[in-house]
Amino acid sequence: MTVVACPTCAKKVEWTPENKYRPFCSERCKQIDLGAWAEEKYTIPAAAPNESQDNPLDDDQR
């Protein structure tokens, strides 16, 4: 049996089909995580595109 840590509270959770909230320990932790996504607390860092990527044609080629 696999045991994982709940992503919200770090409580140990059995990874079994009977645990309908996996990887979370409870619906409460699942809802907390969903709320964080809805509030955009989780982001993926990205570099700002440079101008040459925004416009692939130079001014001379238009």
Side-chain angles (χ1 to χ4, degrees):
M1 165 179 48
T2 302
V3 177
V4 297
C6 173
T8 304
C9 71
K11 179 180 175 183
K12 298 297 181 196
V13 179
E14 293 180 2
W15 189 275
T16 62
E18 292 80 29
N19 180 3
K20 64 181 180 179
Y21 304 114
R22 68 177 182 237
F24 303 99
C25 66
S26 64
E27 181 161 2
R28 178 181 179 274
C29 282
K30 183 178 176 181
Q31 292 299 322
I32 290 169
D33 186 73
L34 179 61
W37 278 104
E39 293 176 9
E40 298 182 358
K41 290 184 177 179
Y42 300 130
T43 59
I44 299 172
N50 60 32
E51 290 185 29
S52 65
Q53 289 177 337
D54 289 341
N55 191 354
L57 299 177
D58 293 330
D59 290 336
D60 296 339
Q61 295 176 339
R62 290 185 201 176

